[in-house]
């Protein structure tokens, strides 16, 4: 299978077969745990994919480097790991002229993009999507300056909260470490001014948090907004103007979708495909759980830029 994903003639819903694949996994994870995970999936993957290469990361940036250096040589890249590994792989694949398909075997704490794609969190079931049960489908990737994200971009409270996470408690308590950190952050929210130019319109205001959502899952919780779709060529922008426990509780506990338009005094919501964000001073930015900083960002949706392996039936 030598044809690149960008030129592929495969239609959505058709099961893809792969002649070659590269499986990237986190070498900093505990060796016993890695060996246990690999033992469950390597056999079935090897039987299905004639040329399967395993690459172990040793330091930050390795996964992105592997994808950029070897991505055009294979039909499929498999990320075995958490949100950090997935983020690096997306940043390695997105700039390529010939982009391979991409698959996630989630092995992290939150696994947000995997959740947004409804990929099983069970290791064997996620691997089975590649060998027998999944399909390829295009998803939007969003470029922010020179970086890319698949799930979300955020600044303000969300970036402060994720920066404050204690890594030991994250390992012990998983998703709840995000919420504990966020609650601590809410006690002293910092407002900042901003300008957003989007699809020919301008918004100037102050906020405690800006969120740009491509996927629905943040901190292992589904964001209750039905307009968020991974393949519509749009992102959802949330301008959160006030912080408080009622707002936080509503977001993380909502069981049904929420009509944010009724509360513009607290949260403003709109969609766009091209956005320019300006902040007076450098601000911490969270891209899919990874931290950057800056004060000016050009953000563009690349519609269906990467094809991913996902379940056949996705319930919206």
């Amino acid at each position: 299978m030598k044809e690149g994903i960008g030129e592929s003639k495969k239609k959505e819903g058709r099961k893809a077969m792969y002649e070659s694949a590269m499986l990237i996994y986190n070498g900093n994870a505990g060796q016993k745990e890695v060996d246990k995970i690999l033992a469950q999936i390597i056999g079935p993957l090897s039987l299905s994919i004639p040329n399967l290469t395993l690459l172990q990361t040793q330091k930050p940036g390795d996964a992105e480097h592997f994808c950029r250096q070897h991505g055009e040589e294979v039909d499929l890249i498999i990320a075995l790991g958490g949100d950090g590994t997935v983020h690096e792989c997306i940043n390695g694949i997105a700039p390529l002229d010939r982009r391979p398909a991409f698959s996630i075997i989630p092995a992290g704490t939150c696994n947000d993009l995997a959740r947004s794609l409804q990929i099983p969190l069970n290791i064997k079931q996620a691997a089975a999507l590649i060998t027998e049960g999944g399909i390829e489908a295009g998803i939007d990737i969003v470029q922010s300056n020179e970086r890319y994200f698949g799930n979300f971009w955020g600044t303000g409270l969300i970036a402060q909260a994720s920066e404050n996470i204690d890594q030991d408690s994250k390992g012990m308590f998983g998703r709840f470490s995000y919420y504990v950190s966020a609650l601590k952050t809410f006690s002293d929210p910092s407002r900042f001014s901003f300008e957003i130019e989007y699809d020919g319109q301008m918004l100037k205001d102050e906020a405690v948090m800006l969120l740009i959502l491509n996927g629905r899952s943040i901190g292992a919780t589904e964001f209750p907004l039905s307009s968020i779709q991974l393949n519509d060529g749009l992102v959802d922008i949330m301008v959160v103007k006030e912080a408080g426990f009622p707002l936080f509780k509503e977001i993380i506990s909502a069981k049904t979708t929420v009509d944010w338009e009724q509360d513009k005094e607290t949260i403003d919501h709109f969609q766009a495909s091209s956005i320019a964000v300006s902040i007076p001073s450098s601000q911490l930015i969270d891209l899919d759980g990874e931290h950057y900083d800056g004060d000016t960002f050009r953000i563009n949706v690349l519609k269906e830029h990467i094809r991913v392996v996902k379940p056949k039936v996705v319930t919206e």
Side-chain angles (χ1 to χ4, degrees), residues 5 89-91 93-95 99-102 137-141 302-308:
I5 293 302
C89 288
I90 285 174
N91 276 273
I93 296 169
R99 293 180 293 280
F102 181 51
I139 65 166
D140 302 339
I141 297 298
L302 308 177
K303 184 170 172 56
E304 298 188 347
H305 191 67
I306 291 178
R307 294 186 67 81
V308 299

Side-chain angles (χ1 to χ4, degrees), residues 23 33 35-45 48 78 80 103-107 119-134 309 311:
L23 187 153
E33 184 65 23
D35 290 345
K36 180 180 178 181
I37 292 173
L38 291 176
Q40 296 180 65
I41 63 175
I42 292 305
L45 289 175
S48 176
I78 306 166
L80 170 60
S103 182
I104 302 170
I105 299 179
I119 291 172
L121 300 184
N122 177 279
I123 297 293
K124 289 184 178 180
Q125 292 176 6
L129 291 180
I130 301 168
T131 59
E132 59 188 34
V309 180

Side-chain angles (χ1 to χ4, degrees), residues 19-30:
E19 291 293 326
S20 59
M22 179 167 61
L23 187 153
I24 299 172
Y25 65 99
N26 185 357
N28 292 321

Side-chain angles (χ1 to χ4, degrees), residues 12 14 27-28 41 52 54 65 137 139 143 160 166 199 219 254 276 307 310:
E12 173 126 358
R14 182 175 171 185
N28 292 321
I41 63 175
L52 177 65
L54 274 62
H65 173 73
I139 65 166
Q143 184 170 5
Q160 295 166 29
D166 178 84
D199 293 348
R307 294 186 67 81
K310 68 171 193 175

Side-chain angles (χ1 to χ4, degrees), residues 34-167:
V34 170
D35 290 345
K36 180 180 178 181
I37 292 173
L38 291 176
Q40 296 180 65
I41 63 175
I42 292 305
L45 289 175
S46 298
L47 290 174
S48 176
I49 305 167
N51 300 300
L52 177 65
T53 302
L54 274 62
L55 294 174
Q56 183 183 49
T57 66
Q58 300 295 334
K59 61 184 182 301
D62 279 354
E64 181 174 343
H65 173 73
F66 293 155
C67 291
R68 293 203 183 198
Q69 185 175 34
H70 303 294
E72 294 186 341
E73 302 168 6
V74 297
D75 302 320
L76 174 70
I77 289 176
I78 306 166
L80 170 60
D83 293 324
T85 302
V86 171
H87 180 69
E88 283 199 23
C89 288
I90 285 174
N91 276 273
I93 296 169
L96 298 178
D97 292 329
R98 179 194 181 278
R99 293 180 293 280
F102 181 51
S103 182
I104 302 170
I105 299 179
T109 301
C110 291
N111 306 301
D112 279 325
L113 186 57
R115 289 176 187 272
S116 292
L117 290 164
Q118 297 196 5
I119 291 172
L121 300 184
N122 177 279
I123 297 293
K124 289 184 178 180
Q125 292 176 6
L129 291 180
I130 301 168
T131 59
E132 59 188 34
I135 60 169
E136 279 188 16
I139 65 166
D140 302 339
I141 297 298
V142 190
Q143 184 170 5
S144 173
N145 292 348
E146 300 304 314
R147 303 300 290 169
Y148 301 86
F149 65 93
N151 202 51
F152 79 93
W153 180 107
T155 190
L157 283 176
I158 189 168
Q160 295 166 29
S162 62
E163 185 183 39
N164 291 341
I165 293 170
D166 178 84
Q167 292 303 312

